[in-house]
Amino acid sequence: MDLPSPHTVHATADPFGERLAHRFVLHRQVLGGRFRFESESEALLQLVESAYGRLPGHRLPGGGAPFHVALRLGAMRAVRPAAPPPVQVHSGAGLLCGVMDECNYVTLDPHGRRALVVASRDMLAHPYHLRYELIEFAVFTLATRGLGLVPLHGACVGRAGRGVLLLGESGSGKSTLALHSLLCGLDFLAEDAVFVRPDPLLATGVPNFLHVRPEALRFVDDMHVRDWIGRAPLIRRRSGVEKREADLRHGRWPLADAPLELAAAVFVSPRPAAAGTALLARLPAEEAVTRLFASQPYAAGQPGWHHFVQQLTWRGVYELRRGTHPRASVEALQALLTDAPAAVGVGG
């Protein structure tokens, strides 16, 4: 009688691959929590390292047990679209799922603080989507649920342990303001996603990349900075917007080395300030609450949201109109960080 091949024995005895050895392991401190990433694929862990390597090790009180993320690399898809399809989300039996297609998906057990990320080999040719829409989906969701964070679409900069949350619609100028805050010496916390522990208002993020529209460089006087951003990879968002993805982790830029306590929130407006008027104006509490709910529909359904809003409106929610140069907007943020937000920055 012919004996089955070792491959057949393995597939029959372990059809789910539960006993596969994880040859590569990475431990990283991300969003205030400890993460263990494990995989038999060195290429997948290189993507993890590109996202979370060389970051400041933010820690939050009561971080709890570590999170576990397993990454599996599968075979090539039989049909490979020009661009990966968008992720569809599902839930049931205490599990959360993000599905791109039958070969690329994420399954999360938030209560167990663990996730499985599965990617087809051809997805390695789409590192931006693999990193942001599968790996980041797992990390951000686990940290949000496990650490009691409010997840926000926004940016955050600060100084001396205090931060300002930057909010606004896509195209309002948050990334440009974050860039010029960085150039003016403010600490950079995050540019696209900010996570806040409601009590106290401690904000954490992933200060790895800055995404800048090419046309925003017209306000950058430093030719070395213009060249650095101009040589960064060009990525295309799902919206179709193209941005340069500049890596900030090279020692030149001040990255927030710990979570920042929020001093205020600012809605960045694309509208210019009227001549002779202040760029920064505090919103009435009722308007602030309405705009926070409208701008953050996902966060508004998460535990801790109402306490977060209460705390934030008490500290101050502002609208920031554009000046003649982004540096004027940065000066307004600096005033908030020094408890002197009165009419700073005047429209031209």
Side-chain angles (χ1 to χ4, degrees):
M1 182 177 67
D2 294 332
L3 293 176
S5 69
H7 177 76
T8 304
V9 171
H10 180 273
T12 303
D14 188 19
F16 294 98
E18 297 171 90
R19 295 192 288 276
L20 285 178
H22 296 295
R23 294 189 296 148
F24 304 104
V25 176
L26 280 178
H27 296 271
R28 293 292 177 264
Q29 188 77 19
V30 185
L31 298 177
R34 294 173 292 151
F35 278 81
R36 173 188 169 95
F37 300 92
E38 52 191 35
S39 181
E40 72 282 1
S41 167
E42 189 172 14
L44 286 178
L45 285 192
Q46 285 175 346
L47 280 176
V48 172
E49 181 67 7
S50 71
Y52 306 121
R54 297 174 288 121
L55 288 175
H58 289 191
R59 285 171 168 77
L60 290 169
F67 300 96
H68 292 261
V69 180
L71 302 104
R72 295 282 175 84
L73 189 63
M76 304 279 281
R77 286 176 292 182
V79 178
R80 298 188 288 276
V87 172
Q88 304 294 321
V89 294
H90 307 275
S91 67
L95 302 177
L96 304 177
C97 300
V99 180
M100 191 174 277
D101 57 31
E102 72 278 7
C103 298
N104 295 277
Y105 53 88
V106 180
T107 302
L108 300 105
D109 172 14
H111 182 74
R113 303 168 78 91
R114 55 195 174 187
L116 170 66
V117 178
V118 177
S120 58
R121 192 169 300 275
D122 55 283
M123 271 298 293
L124 294 173
H126 302 279
Y128 172 78
H129 293 289
L130 175 50
R131 191 176 74 225
Y132 276 87
E133 298 183 3
L134 295 178
I135 297 174
E136 186 176 272
F137 175 85
V139 171
F140 284 9
T141 305
L142 286 179
T144 296
R145 303 298 177 91
L147 298 174
L149 306 178
V150 175
L152 302 164
H153 173 58
C156 186
V157 296
R159 172 179 287 165
R162 305 183 76 216
V164 176
L165 179 65
L166 307 179
L167 305 172
E169 297 180 359
S170 296
S172 62
K174 297 187 301 296
S175 297
T176 299
L177 182 53
L179 167 62
H180 285 273
S181 298
L182 195 67
L183 297 179
C184 290
L186 293 184
D187 294 335
F188 181 90
L189 179 81
E191 171 255 4
D192 191 54
V194 180
F195 300 82
V196 179
R197 174 74 67 82
D199 192 14
L201 283 177
L202 286 178
T204 183
V206 181
N208 48 9
F209 298 107
L210 182 67
H211 297 92
V212 181
R213 294 178 188 237
E215 59 267 26
L217 294 179
R218 69 184 186 276
F219 292 112
V220 177
D221 301 324
D222 189 323
M223 294 303 298
H224 294 290
V225 173
R226 291 170 64 96
D227 181 63
W228 164 62
I229 296 176
R231 288 185 286 105
L234 188 66
I235 57 96
R236 180 185 290 270
R237 292 275 173 85
R238 289 290 185 184
S239 63
V241 173
E242 291 186 336
K243 291 191 173 187
R244 294 289 178 183
E245 186 178 67
D247 196 328
L248 300 173
R249 294 164 291 176
H250 298 295
R252 178 176 179 179
W253 308 110
L255 306 182
D257 59 5
L260 300 177
E261 184 172 353
L262 292 180
V266 169
F267 279 95
V268 181
S269 172
R271 294 182 292 176
T277 63
L279 305 186
L280 192 68
R282 184 163 182 166
L283 299 175
E286 185 175 347
E287 182 180 352
V289 170
T290 299
R291 291 182 66 168
L292 287 169
F293 269 85
S295 69
Q296 307 291 331
Y298 175 67
Q302 300 302 307
W305 169 257
H306 292 282
H307 187 53
F308 161 76
V309 169
Q310 182 183 47
Q311 292 276 87
L312 194 61
T313 52
W314 180 78
R315 298 196 183 194
V317 179
Y318 298 79
E319 181 180 69
L320 178 66
R321 299 282 184 94
R322 288 189 179 182
T324 55
H325 194 282
R327 278 195 296 268
S329 298
V330 177
E331 290 173 3
L333 299 185
Q334 291 171 328
L336 286 176
L337 292 167
T338 57
D339 286 324
V344 175
V346 176

